[in-house]
Amino acid sequence: QVHFVESGGGSVRTGGSLTLSCAASGLPNTYNFYSLAWFRQSPGKGRECVANLNRGGGSYYKDAVKGRFAISRDNAKNTVYLQMDNLKPEDTATYYCAAGPGNGCITDYLGQGIEVTVVS
């Protein structure tokens, strides 16, 4: 059974930083087989892809977070990270990690979500 442990969320003031971590276990293949992504969902809005890291290289960032967020992975730890700097109130959302065998913003396996709140 696939299981994700997400950590690093919380409340921060505008301009602050947070680093989200998501450790996976139980994936059918080795961790480096998978592309990884972070999504977020704010109240009343749909889920959106924030960043993606393809298994073969290449990445994607939502325009609103370019230059502020960075996605990275540690295959030895089965972990994906999302470094978030210069946070804004509009970044407030539940953040989800995801993994999948394809490319792009895959959602084959989705974490349970972690809260990020940015206050003015």
Side-chain angles (χ1 to χ4, degrees):
Q1 185 175 356
V2 179
H3 184 59
F4 295 100
V5 177
E6 294 165 321
S7 61
S11 181
V12 66
R13 290 194 178 277
T14 298
S17 298
L18 287 172
T19 301
L20 303 182
S21 300
C22 174
S25 61
L27 287 167
N29 286 290
T30 56
Y31 193 68
N32 60 8
F33 177 79
Y34 297 95
S35 296
L36 305 168
W38 285 96
F39 292 80
R40 69 185 181 188
Q41 185 167 15
S42 304
K45 295 185 178 180
R47 190 169 62 209
E48 60 182 8
C49 183
V50 174
N52 146 258
L53 195 57
N54 289 327
R55 60 177 183 168
S59 61
Y60 157 83
Y61 292 94
K62 179 180 172 61
D63 284 346
V65 307
K66 284 181 180 177
R68 300 189 297 120
F69 288 14
I71 186 172
S72 62
R73 66 192 295 165
D74 185 338
N75 290 332
K77 296 182 178 180
N78 286 9
T79 299
V80 61
Y81 304 95
L82 186 68
Q83 173 68 42
M84 303 185 295
D85 297 322
N86 190 22
L87 283 160
K88 304 176 180 181
E90 52 264 42
D91 295 319
T92 295
T94 300
Y95 284 72
Y96 302 85
C97 61
N103 288 321
C105 292
I106 37 69
T107 57
D108 297 73
Y109 305 102
L110 192 67
Q112 76 279 5
I114 189 165
E115 298 291 330
V116 171
T117 302
V118 186
V119 298
S120 302

